[in-house]
Amino acid sequence: MGQLNAGIIPVTPFQQNCTILFDTDDKSAVVVDPGGDVDRILSAIEQNGLTVKEIWLTHGHIDHAGGAMELKEALGVEIVGPHADDAPLLANLENQAKMFGLAGAVRNCTPDRYLTEGETVSFGGHVFEVLHCPGHAPGHVVYFNRPANFAHVGDVLFAGSIGRTDLPGGNHDQLIASIKEKLFPLGDDVGFICGHGPGGRIGEERRTNPFLR
């Protein structure tokens, strides 16, 4: 097993961090949150000689799941996650697209497998614990790799901010609880990639994030 590494491809006008997690030795990989611009994602996979094993979703919003079905068909792999509580969002992606003037750009998504708290997912020997972290979306999950002290937190937590809770299914109190009860206990040294913008470390957010005082 080689080192766990990550590459980020900001996609669509939402500038969502589509993330490719990969093993530096065997070049196995997963794609987290392919929100769109699938041609760019496929190009990055090909240019780096990666073999994608699965597509992982953190939640069911259009900017994170909009390209999942197209990428699934292109690669012949399964879509895993998020939690089943986001099934209504994933079944409504085409209507979400109309609201943003993107009709025809995305397709509704049906994951091959939903995830629950305490499960694990893996590729190339790299095992990620699944944390159910509702608040931004009812079925939002976080992927945590304990050996690497690394988490992909989607839109739960940002550098200096938190996920918005004014969208359907959002709940501010749930989001704060998810951060303080699920993410903070992972440890201050845990680094994270988030759904938009730069990542950071859990400890820095615990100490300085103005939304978490």
Side-chain angles (χ1 to χ4, degrees):
M1 182 175 70
Q3 183 178 350
L4 176 65
N5 212 331
I8 295 175
I9 308 168
V11 296
T12 78
F14 298 104
Q15 289 296 283
Q16 191 274 128
N17 290 334
C18 174
T19 305
I20 302 177
L21 302 174
F22 63 96
D23 182 274
T24 54
D25 281 0
D26 69 10
K27 301 295 186 180
S28 61
V30 293
V31 178
V32 183
D33 289 354
D37 293 337
V38 171
D39 287 348
R40 290 183 56 216
I41 299 170
L42 290 170
S43 178
I45 292 166
E46 182 179 359
Q47 288 174 14
N48 290 280
L50 303 177
T51 301
V52 174
K53 302 298 185 180
E54 290 178 327
I55 296 165
W56 296 353
L57 299 181
T58 63
H59 63 292
H61 289 155
I62 184 175
D63 53 332
H64 291 255
M69 292 298 282
E70 183 181 350
L71 188 64
K72 167 189 168 75
E73 292 178 359
L75 296 174
V77 299
E78 293 191 343
I79 298 171
V80 177
H83 187 282
D85 285 353
D86 265 13
L89 290 174
L90 292 166
N92 199 44
L93 289 177
E94 292 170 16
N95 285 330
Q96 286 186 49
K98 292 176 185 175
M99 290 170 53
F100 290 104
L102 301 171
V106 307
R107 288 160 51 195
N108 293 338
C109 178
T110 304
D112 295 279
R113 178 162 68 98
Y114 287 105
L115 297 170
T116 58
E117 175 88 18
E119 282 191 81
T120 61
V121 290
S122 64
F123 72 95
H126 302 285
V127 178
F128 288 73
E129 301 169 33
V130 175
L131 308 174
H132 181 206
C133 296
H136 175 68
H140 200 302
V141 297
V142 164
Y143 299 100
F144 174 52
N145 183 272
R146 195 171 293 271
N149 253 4
F150 165 76
H152 195 301
V153 301
D155 283 2
V156 173
L157 178 67
F158 299 108
S161 188
I162 60 174
R164 59 188 295 183
T165 55
D166 58 336
L167 299 170
N171 183 301
H172 180 78
D173 291 341
Q174 268 191 337
L175 181 69
I176 298 300
S178 290
I179 294 169
K180 293 186 174 181
E181 297 171 13
K182 300 286 184 70
L183 299 189
F184 282 2
L186 298 180
D188 283 359
D189 291 338
V190 170
F192 65 85
I193 288 174
C194 47
H196 306 265
R201 292 200 177 274
I202 296 291
E204 182 69 15
E205 299 313 309
R206 184 181 60 78
R207 289 187 293 268
T208 67
N209 192 309
F211 297 92
L212 299 170
R213 298 290 173 82

